[in-house]
Amino acid sequence: MGLQPLPSPQQVTQAVQQGRIDPFSDPRPAPPPRPPAPSVPSSSAGGSRARGVVPAGGAGGAGSKSAAVAPVPKFQLSGVIQSGGRPEAIVVMDSDSDSLRIGQRGSLKTPLLPPGWTVESININSCSLVLKKGGQLHTYDCANS
């Protein structure tokens, strides 16, 4: 009846996996990077150029009135949250989503908010978001989105 020798400390540490699995890591591969968003929604790109020409040409009347109206961002407000004491609006367009905060301006960092638009206010109680561009205001409600 022979006794078996115990493994050495080196053999024990080599047999055990070092560290632990990160419970928050995503086992799926990272999605490919999104291309930069166009500066003007494609559905209104032609209208934007026409508005630039109308004031320069000196046309008045209805043409001048349409020049003051900016195309409204076409996303849905899916909800509002409060994070770190600050309200945030969760918006969705097609398969993309983003969160917006008061004072945030449209830029490449905020692809769902077109350039020129600013987050004017977010109301958690009424679940609403107000965007502003120049003197134009547009309100989104969770119930109507």
Side-chain angles (χ1 to χ4, degrees), residues 20-38:
R20 65 181 183 93
I21 297 173
D22 182 359
F24 301 106
S25 68
D26 190 354
R28 298 173 292 174
R34 292 189 305 197

Side-chain angles (χ1 to χ4, degrees), residues 44-131:
S44 61
S48 177
R49 274 187 241 117
R51 278 187 221 112
V53 172
V54 170
S64 297
K65 193 174 213 179
S66 68
V69 178
V72 176
K74 303 209 183 311
F75 54 70
Q76 293 181 335
L77 176 63
S78 65
V80 294
I81 60 172
Q82 188 158 351
S83 176
R86 297 176 56 196
E88 292 187 31
I90 310 300
V91 296
V92 178
M93 182 173 18
D94 298 326
S95 62
D96 293 332
S97 65
D98 201 359
S99 66
L100 301 175
R101 288 166 294 289
I102 295 172
Q104 201 167 11
R105 295 180 181 272
S107 69
L108 291 178
K109 293 180 183 178
T110 56
L112 296 185
L113 187 60
W117 286 93
T118 304
V119 178
E120 180 73 12
S121 67
I122 299 171
N123 189 318
I124 292 180
N125 295 329
S126 65
C127 192
S128 64
L129 163 71
V130 177
L131 298 181

